[in-house]
Amino acid sequence: MGTRIEWRGGAAELDRAVHDVAAFADAGADAVAVHLGPHEGTAGRMAEFAARVR
């Protein structure tokens, strides 16, 4: 089973999103989709998020 969360930017919000992904994984989620907000700036947010969850 999977789930979806959203992160549109912001340091505190990133901390929360990273925490949520780890919590869902620990609870057995097969996948977590992350909506990164508007098209503008998505690549930067994606890179920032990916660097934190590795």
Side-chain angles (χ1 to χ4, degrees), residues 5-24 32 34-37 41-54:
I5 66 170
E6 180 177 68
W7 176 62
R8 293 177 169 250
E13 294 83 356
L14 177 57
D15 289 342
R16 178 64 187 191
V18 169
H19 173 269
D20 289 350
V21 167
F24 283 123
V32 178
V34 181
H35 182 263
L36 297 168
T42 297
R45 288 188 299 276
M46 186 182 314
E48 187 174 359
F49 186 84
R52 287 285 307 274
V53 295
R54 289 188 180 165

